Amino acid sequence: SQKIEQNSEALNIQEGKTATLTCNYTNYSPAYLQWYRQDPGRGPVFLLLIRENEKEKRKERLKVTFDTTLKQSLFHITASQPADSATYLCALSSSGNTPLVFGKGTRLSVIA
Amino acid sequence: DAGVIQSPRHEVTEMGQEVTLRCKPISGHDYLFWYRQTMMRGLELLIYFNNNVPIDDSGMPEDRFSAKMPNASFSTLKIQPSEPRDSAVYFCASSKPGQGAETQYFGPGTRLLVL
């Protein structure tokens, strides 16, 4: 069966360091992989999308990589800040018109 | 743009009662999704619509759950009768294929507690 795993439920890092979150998947051939941020009591908010033929995508302090051979995506936040503390969800879809399948998320805490 | 609107934001009800959750998608979006989020299972897709037509309801847990989309600006998710295990946060999301449409825009969610 299809499975999406995010490396850990929680990750604590010090302010200023780079946070790296992992998303692994099995029995899936995604065309798109997305990362969302979710704050407590709120809905997920889209951050970045990367396509299967792209290796890397950047947006400000965020960077996403997508390795279809390893079936893995890495999500990096450089120069992390306490305001980056949230739960980060990865999501896959096999096409632009099929629904997303979400991982359970990693709760990131950036400590000042 | 007001974003996706959901109501109510919180609902507390007793087992056996009917619960109706409401969603107004972003204007112009032709896909609408209903999700349920729990600590144990994460974010699960229940059903989604395209142009008001249900496309896939395989995620709806039981016959007690039903969803409708009578027009492009309104959808409901109904649970009848409700059970304590239905307690969760229910999210509605919308998207529009063709314009970065793989991105979904989520509402604030409805936190449901069934006693």
Side-chain angles (χ1 to χ4, degrees):
Chain A
S1 62
Q2 296 173 346
K3 205 170 182 183
I4 301 171
E5 288 185 339
Q6 296 193 238
N7 57 330
S8 57
E9 282 191 24
L11 179 66
N12 298 327
I13 65 165
Q14 277 201 309
E15 183 177 7
K17 300 292 185 183
T18 296
T20 299
L21 284 63
T22 304
C23 177
N24 295 295
Y25 59 92
T26 55
N27 297 323
Y28 209 93
S29 297
Y32 306 94
L33 188 146
Q34 303 183 32
W35 285 88
Y36 286 75
R37 169 181 173 142
Q38 186 174 22
D39 290 286
R42 310 191 76 162
V45 174
F46 170 77
L47 295 175
L48 279 169
L49 176 151
I50 188 166
R51 293 178 168 79
E52 61 179 336
N53 60 351
E54 298 175 318
K55 296 294 183 188
E56 182 179 299
K57 209 75 166 291
R58 291 176 185 261
K59 179 182 175 183
E60 298 172 353
R61 294 184 295 111
L62 308 180
K63 184 177 86 171
V64 172
T65 62
F66 192 11
D67 189 326
T68 55
T69 301
L70 290 179
K71 297 186 183 297
Q72 181 181 79
S73 174
L74 299 179
F75 177 78
H76 306 274
I77 306 175
T78 58
S80 60
Q81 305 166 359
D84 296 326
S85 299
T87 295
Y88 292 86
L89 305 165
C90 77
L92 308 176
S93 69
S94 57
S95 77
N97 294 339
T98 56
L100 293 170
V101 179
F102 282 83
K104 289 189 178 179
T106 295
R107 188 172 64 253
L108 174 68
S109 295
V110 181
I111 303 161
Chain B
D1 197 329
V4 175
I5 299 172
Q6 291 188 247
S7 65
R9 293 294 311 277
H10 303 273
E11 177 82 27
V12 180
T13 190
E14 292 190 343
M15 183 174 66
Q17 297 297 306
E18 177 179 297
V19 175
T20 299
L21 311 181
R22 296 171 178 80
C23 175
K24 177 179 168 54
I26 293 172
S27 177
H29 284 193
D30 52 4
Y31 277 80
L32 184 139
F33 306 85
W34 281 102
Y35 291 90
R36 178 172 69 176
Q37 187 174 41
T38 61
M39 289 292 292
M40 286 293 295
R41 300 174 69 90
L43 199 59
E44 301 175 285
L45 178 68
L46 299 177
I47 184 171
Y48 76 100
F49 296 81
N50 178 221
N51 291 319
N52 313 337
V53 176
I55 303 300
D56 185 352
D57 65 355
S58 60
M60 297 285 259
E62 321 174 11
D63 292 345
R64 299 184 295 107
F65 285 70
S66 62
K68 293 183 180 179
M69 192 165 185
N71 57 62
S73 59
F74 184 65
S75 177
T76 60
L77 177 68
K78 188 175 292 187
I79 308 173
Q80 165 63 13
S82 58
E83 296 183 4
R85 60 192 166 125
D86 301 330
S87 298
V89 182
Y90 291 80
F91 289 102
C92 175
S94 68
S95 70
K96 185 175 182 182
Q99 296 183 11
E102 304 88 0
T103 301
Q104 293 186 13
Y105 297 83
F106 283 78
T110 295
R111 186 174 295 274
L112 173 66
L113 178 60
V114 183
L115 303 173

